[in-house]
Amino acid sequence: MAATLQIPTNPLAPKSFGAASNPPNTIVEARQTAILAIQSIEGLALQHGMLPVTLLRESCSPDAERLIRKLGRVPYVADPWLPVSTIGPLLVMAHHNPRAGDLWGVPHFLTIRVLVTPEQYQNTRKDLVQRFGQMPISQSNAMEQLQPPVFADLGLEGTFQWLLERYPYEPAEITKLKGFYEAQKGKTETLGVTHFNVVQRNMGIALQHLVSGCRTLVYSATEAQRQTFFPIPLLERHNVYPLYIGKQVVFLLSESADCYAFEDEWLSMGNPSVKIVPVLADLASIREAINRAGATFDPSAVASMDGTTLSVADDASVVEISPEDMARINPQNPNHEPEQLVQWALFTAIRCRASDLHLEKFYSFTRFRARMDGTMKTIMTAPESQLNRYVALLKNYAGMSQNRQECQDGRMALSIGRRRVDVRVAAVPTRREFQKVIMRFLDKQDGVKRLSDFNLSQRQVDILTRTMQRDQGLVLVTGPTGSGKTTTLYALLNSVNDESVNIQTIEDPIEYEIEGINQTQTNNARGLDFANGLRSLLRADPDIILIGESRDAETAGAAVNASLTGHLVLTTLHANDSLRAVSRLLSMGVEKYLLADSLALSQAQRLARRLCSYCKQPMQAPQDVQDLMAKQAVITQPITTPIYTARGCDECHGTGYAGRVALMELCEVNNELRDLIEEGAPLSAMRAAAFKNGYRSLYQEGLQQVIGGHTSLDEIKCLSYTAM
């Protein structure tokens, strides 16, 4: 028997407050209902201790959808609370009536109820009718019978353990959460909100909500709408972001309940006083929301400039960029100075989370192209005559010569409010004495990731944890340029970074500075290359050594020898997949028996574009796709949950993608593989042995990410050559 959510026969009829299953039945209740009906949404929110929200998506998030499908329970009332997203283990439910009833069988203490407009409620409900209309009817589910303990007595850690025992997590999820919890526990005796946010995004604030008796208002900043009311620099200085701006009240997302400094500065700017209601949120999510709010550009912008003079900043090492000034720049205006337009292009690229920015000639135009989520987008064009002015300015910033026929490398730093971004600059000559400038952004604020930030399977977590606990061995991370190899290595180092371990690195260049780790920069002019630097580091009593890249036979040989003398050595290598890395090292002159004894883990990595979480479109996996997944041994039974395709919205600039997800192919070297390496066995034999040991190819990992709803089939088609 199928059940559907009921839609009123007359949607234009006035709506009464109160759930259909629990209508008001007294004159007092009717009077209260009438009063509430004329109040603003923020007034209702304050009265009932809830949050007013303008939904970014008028649909159910993938995490919320998975939980609802797992429970298999549909509401029986006409106007139930609607599941829209999750905050850690808590389900976010939306309604326009704070006194509505049915919560889809989810215990009230495991929900966060938010208020939306009636229009948004109706739009969201139509989407849910389409998604869940054919779900089987269930009288109850396991969560309905849960009785809440006194979370205040349990504290954060006790509440976390209670959830592991009673929340409907999958066994693999429980193991993963326990692993990250133990890693944090090993670093700090008493865990706070921030530590649990590392275990799982928003886990800490969800626990705080439960421990406070649901009095602490919490929300995920990644679900907040873009805003233009507060200046971005002001939000950056205080690490806050508005969730909802009412007539008299601002619900402000903050890392703590103390927003007095923000309020004081806001008043000192001559603004009227407003009531600030703090809403606890994960700091990383707040920063993500701030960056997203400023990530706007006009791809059709064309700057038509006349022959103005070139002005160059006096400080060539640090370029100060004012967000307030950038907000007033229109690249189509011909009256802007070249320096202003160059800074606008840099500022816009960073706001759009670009990894690189290219300045180049294109037909009769000059264009700035930014690499966003792995693809190139034009953010500004100008007449060809402006190219040399822009190039000269950027070279001056980076401390480079103005010689047009010389390939050069330089470096500069951008200071944007309180944000510091290092930029690697390369200039190469092109035809007709033109030049191209390539800038790589190294964002200090967003650089060092945690293993919990990656979409790792339990198998991958176990392998990486086991590897980093070794006292010696060689760890290879392979992949093409820009595949996130260095980011992964930093995350691995960060997972074991404590006072009991001496970690030494030699890099070219040092991309991100990590506290507690000794980092060394190569200097070829002084004879400090990877090979010489590694020999010096061995005398510094290291436990773990990171070599930025094994570029030649000497460095590769030194890395292998270091791993055999009681050190865990991590390095990168250019190879197509994890097993071909073995052939690459052998071709560089490393002896077979040495490589067999030293190699602990070989990892290949690629970056696929992540589907925009606000607009990705669910679809049933076609039969041919399921057949492909079955052939690749990714599934053993038909997929019942939807997969997703790109659609496009304002948040992702119409691309359907926002951010990237790492695909990791991990090959842990066991005794059988060691024997094959020492024998010089063919690649096919090593691959067969690896698959027997649980190895998954890049293509298989990509298909797994498709099933998880993180990327699309189109994004992983290019990896089919790595299939079984």
Side-chain angles (χ1 to χ4, degrees), residues 150-161 196 207 211:
V150 182
F151 290 116
D153 296 340
L154 296 178
L156 296 179
E157 296 187 45
T159 302
F160 176 74
Q161 297 295 341
F196 279 105
L207 295 176
V211 170

Side-chain angles (χ1 to χ4, degrees), residues 440-514:
R440 166 66 59 90
F441 300 118
L442 306 172
D443 195 343
K444 302 277 186 190
Q445 176 177 295
D446 197 38
V448 182
K449 302 292 184 183
R450 303 166 301 210
L451 287 179
S452 57
D453 295 331
F454 300 103
N455 293 321
L456 300 177
S457 66
Q458 188 55 49
R459 170 184 167 272
Q460 292 173 319
V461 172
D462 292 341
I463 290 175
L464 293 174
T465 303
R466 237 182 354 255
T467 301
M468 296 306 297
Q469 289 174 348
R470 295 171 63 110
D471 58 357
Q472 68 177 50
L474 178 65
V475 178
L476 291 177
V477 179
T478 71
T481 302
S483 59
K485 299 186 298 295
T486 303
T487 301
T488 298
L489 287 176
Y490 281 158
L492 290 172
L493 293 181
N494 213 29
S495 68
V496 294
N497 182 19
D498 60 52
E499 63 178 9
S500 65
V501 182
N502 181 23
I503 304 175
Q504 303 274 165
T505 78
I506 180 160
E507 306 170 65
D508 181 25
I510 298 173
E511 296 196 1
Y512 301 105
E513 296 177 4
I514 309 175

Side-chain angles (χ1 to χ4, degrees), residues 2-166:
T4 59
L5 298 178
Q6 301 175 17
I7 301 177
T9 56
N10 182 10
L12 299 179
K15 301 178 178 61
S16 62
F17 286 97
S21 61
N22 201 16
N25 53 16
T26 67
I27 297 175
V28 175
E29 287 178 333
R31 187 180 297 113
Q32 290 175 343
T33 300
I35 294 171
L36 292 178
I38 61 174
Q39 288 182 334
S40 63
I41 184 173
E42 61 264 25
L44 285 173
L46 287 172
Q47 183 171 351
H48 291 271
M50 296 179 184
L51 288 173
V53 172
T54 303
L55 292 178
L56 198 55
R57 66 175 109 230
E58 292 181 341
S59 63
C60 187
S61 74
D63 290 336
E65 183 175 346
R66 278 194 290 271
L67 177 59
I68 294 299
R69 291 186 181 277
K70 184 185 299 183
L71 297 175
R73 159 79 153 74
V74 295
Y76 302 108
V77 301
D79 295 310
W81 287 86
L82 304 180
V84 291
S85 64
T86 58
I87 299 176
L90 307 181
L91 186 63
V92 179
M93 311 286 284
H95 211 293
H96 61 88
N97 174 13
R99 302 180 63 190
D102 195 286
L103 292 171
W104 289 59
V106 181
H108 68 91
F109 63 92
L110 291 178
T111 65
I112 293 178
R113 280 157 286 177
V114 299
L115 293 179
V116 298
T117 64
E119 293 76 18
Q120 282 211 306
Y121 177 85
Q122 293 297 335
N123 292 337
T124 305
R125 189 172 65 168
K126 289 177 183 178
D127 176 79
L128 291 178
V129 167
Q130 190 176 17
R131 293 195 186 199
F132 301 115
Q134 300 303 314
M135 287 184 62
I137 293 178
S138 174
Q139 295 297 323
S140 63
N141 58 59
M143 289 184 69
E144 282 187 271
Q145 309 304 321
L146 285 179
Q147 297 298 318
V150 182
F151 290 116
D153 296 340
L154 296 178
L156 296 179
E157 296 187 45
T159 302
F160 176 74
Q161 297 295 341
W162 184 89
L163 286 170
L164 290 182
E165 294 173 3
R166 292 169 174 82

Side-chain angles (χ1 to χ4, degrees), residues 352-382:
C352 294
R353 297 176 290 101
S355 60
D356 302 84
L357 180 63
H358 294 225
L359 169 61
E360 59 196 358
K361 180 182 178 301
F362 181 69
Y363 290 102
S364 59
F365 289 96
T366 296
R367 69 177 177 184
F368 283 93
R369 282 196 302 166
R371 186 175 295 278
M372 304 175 191
D373 302 328
T375 60
M376 303 293 288
K377 292 184 181 296
T378 300
I379 62 173
M380 191 184 85
T381 60

Side-chain angles (χ1 to χ4, degrees), residues 325-468:
D325 293 342
M326 296 298 103
R328 292 191 289 269
I329 291 180
N330 178 6
Q332 296 180 327
N333 189 333
N335 298 320
H336 292 304
E337 296 281 333
E339 184 176 6
Q340 293 175 312
L341 292 168
V342 167
Q343 292 186 3
W344 183 88
L346 291 166
F347 176 80
T348 302
I350 291 169
R351 284 294 191 195
C352 294
R353 297 176 290 101
S355 60
D356 302 84
L357 180 63
H358 294 225
L359 169 61
E360 59 196 358
K361 180 182 178 301
F362 181 69
Y363 290 102
S364 59
F365 289 96
T366 296
R367 69 177 177 184
F368 283 93
R369 282 196 302 166
R371 186 175 295 278
M372 304 175 191
D373 302 328
T375 60
M376 303 293 288
K377 292 184 181 296
T378 300
I379 62 173
M380 191 184 85
T381 60
E384 180 187 305
S385 59
Q386 301 299 320
L387 175 62
N388 289 335
R389 296 176 179 228
Y390 295 161
V391 171
L393 183 59
L394 289 169
K395 281 186 169 183
N396 201 337
Y397 283 158
M400 301 161 64
S401 167
Q402 297 294 338
N403 190 327
R404 295 188 181 183
Q405 299 303 314
E406 184 180 344
C407 293
Q408 299 180 70
D409 294 318
R411 196 163 184 141
M412 64 182 179
L414 304 179
S415 178
I416 306 174
R418 295 179 64 184
R419 193 173 180 183
R420 169 73 176 259
V421 180
D422 284 349
V423 187
R424 295 208 313 256
V425 185
V428 295
T430 60
R431 60 186 177 89
R432 292 169 51 195
E433 293 192 358
F434 288 111
Q435 298 168 91
K436 176 173 181 172
V437 180
I438 307 96
M439 291 149 278
R440 166 66 59 90
F441 300 118
L442 306 172
D443 195 343
K444 302 277 186 190
Q445 176 177 295
D446 197 38
V448 182
K449 302 292 184 183
R450 303 166 301 210
L451 287 179
S452 57
D453 295 331
F454 300 103
N455 293 321
L456 300 177
S457 66
Q458 188 55 49
R459 170 184 167 272
Q460 292 173 319
V461 172
D462 292 341
I463 290 175
L464 293 174
T465 303
R466 237 182 354 255
T467 301
M468 296 306 297

Side-chain angles (χ1 to χ4, degrees), residues 159-290:
T159 302
F160 176 74
Q161 297 295 341
W162 184 89
L163 286 170
L164 290 182
E165 294 173 3
R166 292 169 174 82
Y167 193 83
Y169 287 119
E170 298 291 341
E173 292 178 294
I174 294 175
T175 307
K176 186 189 295 187
L177 288 172
K178 283 183 177 178
F180 287 125
Y181 168 76
E182 293 298 332
Q184 291 299 308
K185 197 67 178 172
K187 299 177 181 179
T188 309
E189 291 186 6
T190 304
L191 301 187
V193 172
T194 303
H195 301 104
F196 279 105
N197 286 338
V198 175
V199 173
Q200 186 185 64
R201 174 169 279 196
N202 297 318
M203 173 63 78
I205 65 171
L207 295 176
Q208 180 62 39
H209 178 73
L210 293 173
V211 170
S212 71
C214 301
R215 293 187 302 273
T216 302
L217 297 176
V218 303
Y219 204 67
S220 174
T222 55
E223 299 287 339
Q225 286 270 7
R226 289 181 177 167
Q227 64 86 46
T228 56
F229 186 80
F230 293 107
I232 295 294
L234 178 65
L235 302 178
E236 286 182 327
R237 281 194 292 274
H238 297 279
N239 287 319
V240 297
Y241 193 82
L243 174 65
Y244 190 90
I245 301 174
K247 294 181 179 179
Q248 301 293 329
V249 181
V250 175
F251 291 81
L252 196 67
L253 294 161
S254 173
E255 188 184 15
S256 68
D258 183 2
C259 299
Y260 298 120
F262 169 83
E263 192 171 2
D264 290 344
E265 185 170 354
W266 174 250
L267 293 174
S268 69
M269 297 166 64
N271 297 303
S273 176
V274 294
K275 179 179 175 61
I276 301 290
V277 178
V279 181
L280 197 65
D282 179 19
L283 179 59
S285 299
I286 294 174
R287 288 174 173 169
E288 185 179 326
I290 295 172

